[in-house]
Every structure is written in C-alpha cells, then in structure tokens.
Amino acid sequence: MESGFFRKLPSAIPGLALIIITLVIIRGYPGMDIAGFKGIEPWMAKTKVFGMQKPLTDAFHLNYILLGILAGLLYRNVIFGGKIPAIFSDGFKLSRLMIKTGIILLGSLYTVQAIVQLGSFAIFLIGGFVLLSIVMVLWLGKVFGIDRSMTGVLANALSICGVSAAVATSPAVEAKAAHVAYAIATILGFGILTMFISPFIGHSLGLTDLQYGAWIGTGILNSGQVLAAALAFNPKVEPGSAVSVAEIWNIMRVISIPFAVFIVTVWYWTGKEAQESKSTRKGLGTLLVEKFPVFVIGFAAMVLLTSLGAFGDVGIKGGPAASDTIIKLRLWMTWIFGFGLVGLGGYIDFKEISQAGGAPLKLGLIVGITKYVLALIVVLMIRDYLVAI
Amino acid sequence: MERIVVAVDGSSASQEALNHAINLARQNHAALTGVFIIDGGWPDYIGNDWQSSQGARQGFLDHIQEEQEQQAQTARQQFEKAVNGMPSVKFSLEAGDPIDTIVKIACEKSTDLLVLSRRVFQISGRPSLKLLGEKLAKKATRPFLLFP
C-alpha cells in the first residue's frame, strides 16, 4: 500500500523544507540575525507586553514545541484548507520517522541502572492503569450499548497509547473501519486538549519534572502527545527532565500493547462459536512477534551503549559533566523532536475530529478524564516514592 | 440529461438515492453510472501512529482494505440488482479520498446529474464523510440531488 522510504525521499523534499524553514523561524539558531529577527522563541523571551517581562513564555508557557505543533495545525486546518497538499504530503509523513528516531536517541539519557530503578516503579503504575482502563471501558461499553468490536478498540486505545493500540487491536476484534475512525477521532480530540492544558496545570501545581513526567506518561493517551506535553513543560532533553521521565513511562505502556491486545481479543472471542474462535484468534506468542513495537529494541540498544560509555559521560546529577558527544546528541534531539512535532500538528484535522460523537465520545471522555485526573492524584500521593534519575 | 451518476455503498441509505436515480434515468433515457469509492486515505489517517510495529500497521491496512473490498462487492450487487434489465448502465469502482472523488465527479462536464445520500460511504468511512453534503454545496459545478 505504501511505497518505500528511499523512493519517497525526493518527493519528500518540499515538505521537509517547509518544516525545517518553519522550525528555523520559530527557534532561530546561534548567530541568526535576519534584519534584526532572531527567531520567534528568542523574540518571545525578550518581549515586554503591558509592562510584563516575557509573558508569552512565562504566563502561556509557549516554547518552540507548542509553537511547532500550532504551526502544523495552522498549515493543515487554515492555510491549506483541511488537507496537506500533495507536494508537501510526503515530507509531513516523514515526521513520524523523525519522532521515532528521536525516541531511540533518547535512550542516551539513561543507564541500565536508571531504567531498572525508574522502569520497575513505572511498570507497576502503568500496569495498574492499563488494566483499570480496560475494565472500565469494557463495562461502560456494555452500559452504553456500544458495539462489541468498537468497545474492544476503545478499550486498548484508551488504555495504552491511542492510535497505535487502535491499529494493533482492530483486526483481532474484527472492527469495522468506521469504528476505528471514530475511536481515533475520540482519542486524538481528547489528547490534543490534554497536550495543551497539561503544561499549565503542571506549572500551576508546581510539579517537579519527575512528578509531571510520571503524570502525563500515565494520563495522556497518545504517545506523540505525551512527548509534546513533556517538552512543552520543560524543553530540556537531559537526565531527570520531564521528557526523560515521561518517555520511560510511555515506553512501559507501549511495551504492553501485545499483552493488552491479547486480553481484549480473549474477551472479544468469549461467547463466539468455539470453532470460529479457534481459527481466527491468535496466540500471545504470535501477537508478541507481530505487534511488538520494534523501535523499543533500538531504544534499549541505545541505553546499553550509553551504559557501556560509548558516548562518554551522560551528565547525571552529582556526576561528571556530559560529554561533547552527548551534548551534541541532545541538541540534535531537540531539532528532531521539533521537526516531528510540526509534522504531528500537520496531521491533526479539526474537521475530522469534530465529527466524532455519540456514545463512543461519551465513553472516551469519561475514561480519559478519569485516567487523567486519577493519574495526577496518584502521582501527588506517591511523590516521595518516585525515583529520580 | 444524458448521464446520471449515483453513489452506491450497499446500505439502505444509498438504496433510496439509487431508486430515484433509476427513475430519473428511465424518464430521461439517460445512461446510469453507479460509483463506489475505496477510501485510499487510511495510511494518512493513522498518520500519528509512529509506534506500531510494521506488522501491526500493515495488518491494519490489509484489514481495512479487505473490509472495503467486501463493501464494494455489496455495493455492486445492490446496483446490479436494482438496474436489472436497464440499458446503458455501468458500475465504476474508484479509489481515493471519497469526498475529493465525489466532488471531482460533481464537477465533470460529463455528469449531468449526481444523485447520492448525505450518508453515503459513512457505513465504512471516516467521520469527515459527514461533511460530504457541505463540501458538495460549496464546490460542485454540476447539478446534484442529495438525499437524507
């Protein structure tokens, strides 16, 4: 259905160029000075409005991440009238690959020891929330009389990581295309809202990077939106920053996709004719091979290389300063994420999302808000037990 | 009127539009073309899905393709059953964005009348298809008849 990466590359150039130019205008770069203009973010950091020093960054917490997403949104929904034009389309599609690459590189923020410390706690919390959300959706699906296939898709989409989980679950529960579309529209709509309000809530409550990362890594549904919300709270990419915590939480959640697909598949096929069930249902082993997100292996390899000292010191608090290689790597990551998130904004179609509705939306909102608020309460309650890296 | 185009998806919503299109074609001795559109927008629609394994992603796209092909077959059967015995009839299978394709048909010179239900293709489509009527009203350059 889709052509290969290298065949697409030439046709991706206009879109890539548009995203890079957008990002340069937003962030600027060291030494940039075009008739006094040094980039929107540097301009915001110096601007006084009504006597207030830099209100756009301090009061609205606008940074290059949020501005990048807003630019992507603006391109698709306003400037291009609802659809990225064919000439830019392939470039915007590449943004997915950039985010995935960035996540793999994020592995350089952690050592194996840090992953074990943080991850073992995260897996406990994440596991609890995944199971709780699945049970809640399956129960509410029955209460609202929602189609069984659609309930199955919503259960994993609202429990694990949005679109990825919906995509992984749909064939296993025989979901109709329309079910998947409405589930995706519901979770993306909710996710966009949480992506923009979470940094405000986090700053208003005075959350630390550790608390905030743990909260959004658990409470926000979509992985791309977790990344965006973390970087919007604190754009620093370093050990202990919001993004480093949120991504460990997120990866623990993503790893649970095959297991959650298995659970929901077993639930779906319960009550079906035994013979039909046997011929169609896949085992956990097959699901692990088919559904395991491969980039997690790249992330793990990066953590291992970092632990072995392949890139020099990582700059953990109290330890030696980060090496030049690590510093450059982190700078590149900020650009890669910035690039990917402009693309993410370009994929958000407000008209599509606004058409979602009915019982699936109601169910999505109930479960999404419950999870979001409960995750915040839990993180505030267990603040002393969260392990910093 | 020489050519009438009717959008068919196998649902009861498109049956009403199809019946009217057949009556009009008979009254005007016009050719009738039934159209079903296989939605090619799914890879883009799941565009945010950057964390799925290749197997999961392709498995999903194959699953959707299979469903759409079955729907196309149902639409063809609905059309062929309804036009049984009529001269100058054709069933056309298109691929692409359903709204863009319908708007394109509604702007073709060879389309003397486009007949469709406001809910056509929603049976297996994306939420944006609810905007079909609105888009047609804005962009169509040829006459069209929109049913509930």
Side-chain angles (χ1 to χ4, degrees):
Chain A
M1 263 190 171
E2 289 179 283
S3 55
F5 170 76
F6 288 107
R7 268 180 292 164
K8 269 189 176 178
L9 207 50
S11 62
I13 289 171
L16 291 174
L18 179 65
I19 294 177
I20 290 170
I21 290 168
T22 304
L23 205 54
V24 167
I25 291 172
I26 290 171
R27 283 193 80 177
Y29 54 84
M32 176 171 152
D33 192 343
I34 304 166
F37 178 72
K38 295 177 179 176
I40 295 173
E41 197 181 42
W43 170 79
M44 286 192 323
K46 286 183 180 174
T47 304
K48 270 187 178 179
V49 178
F50 300 122
M52 281 172 71
Q53 191 70 36
K54 50 177 184 170
L56 295 170
T57 49
D58 287 358
F60 295 103
H61 305 292
L62 280 177
N63 60 21
Y64 75 96
I65 291 294
L66 285 180
L67 289 173
I69 298 167
L70 287 172
L73 282 171
L74 208 64
Y75 280 137
R76 182 179 189 123
N77 296 281
V78 181
I79 297 171
F80 298 138
K83 193 173 182 182
I84 300 288
I87 189 170
F88 298 125
S89 170
D90 282 346
F92 271 77
K93 280 178 194 165
L94 267 187
S95 60
R96 286 200 299 266
L97 186 71
M98 297 300 274
I99 294 185
K100 203 182 277 186
T101 308
I103 298 282
I104 291 172
L105 292 178
L106 263 184
S108 68
L109 295 184
Y110 316 91
T111 58
V112 172
Q113 193 190 3
I115 291 279
V116 171
Q117 274 184 322
L118 197 60
S120 55
F121 191 78
I123 209 158
F124 174 74
L125 197 64
I126 290 289
F129 268 86
V130 167
L131 283 175
L132 183 78
S133 312
I134 289 176
V135 170
M136 198 173 166
V137 174
L138 298 185
W139 175 68
L140 283 175
K142 204 173 174 185
V143 171
F144 290 145
I146 297 174
D147 177 275
R148 207 168 160 80
S149 293
M150 186 159 199
T151 304
V153 175
L154 281 168
N156 277 353
L158 288 161
S159 310
I160 318 173
C161 56
V163 183
S164 314
V167 162
T169 311
S170 304
V173 297
E174 303 177 309
K176 298 253 179 242
H179 295 159
V180 186
Y182 279 83
I184 289 177
T186 301
I187 52 181
L188 285 186
F190 180 76
I192 291 162
L193 188 71
T194 52
M195 178 171 73
F196 283 104
I197 64 167
S198 298
F200 289 94
I201 298 175
H203 284 294
S204 307
L205 294 177
L207 296 185
T208 62
D209 279 47
L210 187 60
Q211 290 172 319
Y212 181 81
W215 170 42
I216 60 160
T218 312
I220 294 186
L221 307 175
N222 185 275
S223 302
Q225 289 159 356
V226 169
L227 181 75
L231 289 167
F233 179 78
N234 178 4
K236 284 182 184 163
V237 179
E238 58 187 28
S241 63
V243 72
S244 76
V245 179
E247 274 312 316
I248 282 296
W249 248 253
N250 190 41
I251 279 174
M252 292 301 163
R253 194 167 52 164
V254 169
I255 288 173
S256 68
I257 289 179
F259 301 98
V261 170
F262 180 73
I263 292 169
V264 171
T265 308
V266 169
W267 164 81
Y268 177 75
W269 287 102
T270 306
K272 288 249 173 189
E273 288 295 323
Q275 201 179 354
E276 189 187 1
S277 168
K278 200 179 170 186
S279 63
T280 318
R281 211 175 84 194
K282 288 177 178 172
L284 182 59
T286 314
L287 287 173
L288 273 171
V289 174
E290 278 184 11
K291 316 282 186 189
F292 191 81
V294 183
F295 83 96
V296 173
I297 297 168
F299 175 85
M302 202 69 187
V303 172
L304 196 64
L305 285 171
T306 307
S307 302
L308 293 171
F311 310 111
D313 286 312
V314 292
I316 290 175
K317 277 176 191 171
S323 70
D324 285 347
T325 313
I326 288 283
I327 290 170
K328 277 182 192 155
L329 210 55
R330 286 175 193 166
L331 178 67
W332 273 105
M333 275 190 265
T334 62
W335 282 93
I336 287 171
F337 285 138
F339 182 102
L341 293 172
V342 173
L344 182 128
Y347 269 106
I348 297 169
D349 184 344
F350 278 133
K351 279 188 181 165
E352 190 89 46
I353 291 169
S354 67
Q355 297 306 312
L361 180 66
K362 212 188 297 178
L363 185 149
L365 286 177
I366 292 173
V367 177
I369 292 171
T370 305
K371 196 173 156 184
Y372 187 70
V373 174
L374 201 61
L376 179 60
I377 294 168
V378 170
V379 164
L380 289 172
M381 281 170 64
I382 59 164
R383 67 176 82 192
D384 297 334
Y385 298 96
L386 289 170
V387 184
I389 54 167
Chain B
M1 268 193 291
E2 288 181 7
R3 180 175 175 251
I4 295 171
V5 181
V6 58
V8 190
D9 67 1
S11 69
S12 54
S14 75
Q15 186 67 54
E16 191 187 356
L18 179 58
N19 293 342
H20 277 270
I22 289 169
N23 285 341
L24 286 168
R26 282 190 172 132
Q27 284 164 17
N28 294 280
H29 306 289
L32 182 66
T33 305
V35 176
F36 181 85
I37 302 155
I38 290 194
D39 189 344
W42 278 94
D44 278 351
Y45 187 65
I46 57 167
N48 288 322
D49 175 41
W50 47 273
Q51 289 199 317
S52 292
S53 69
Q54 189 60 29
R57 184 178 168 77
Q58 197 52 54
F60 171 78
L61 292 173
D62 290 346
H63 170 70
I64 296 292
Q65 173 105 349
E66 196 181 316
E67 185 195 329
Q68 299 229 347
E69 282 169 2
Q70 280 171 4
Q71 201 63 45
Q73 189 57 30
T74 311
R76 181 189 287 275
Q77 284 166 358
Q78 182 184 42
F79 181 77
E80 285 174 352
K81 191 179 170 192
V83 299
N84 193 19
M86 271 180 75
S88 307
V89 290
K90 191 174 96 175
F91 183 79
S92 173
L93 195 59
E94 307 277 337
D97 184 296
I99 291 186
D100 290 352
T101 310
I102 284 286
V103 168
K104 194 178 152 207
I105 292 169
C107 293
E108 279 171 358
K109 276 187 178 174
S110 60
T111 306
D112 292 312
L113 180 67
L114 172 66
V115 183
L116 72 168
S117 159
R118 192 172 51 79
R119 288 175 287 152
V120 75
F121 303 133
Q122 282 185 26
I123 192 164
S124 59
R126 292 172 285 139
S128 59
L129 282 160
K130 285 182 183 172
L131 303 167
L132 181 63
E134 191 187 311
K135 287 261 181 181
L136 270 178
K138 276 184 190 164
K139 296 187 174 176
T141 57
R142 308 292 299 157
F144 68 90
L145 202 52
L146 195 65
F147 284 86

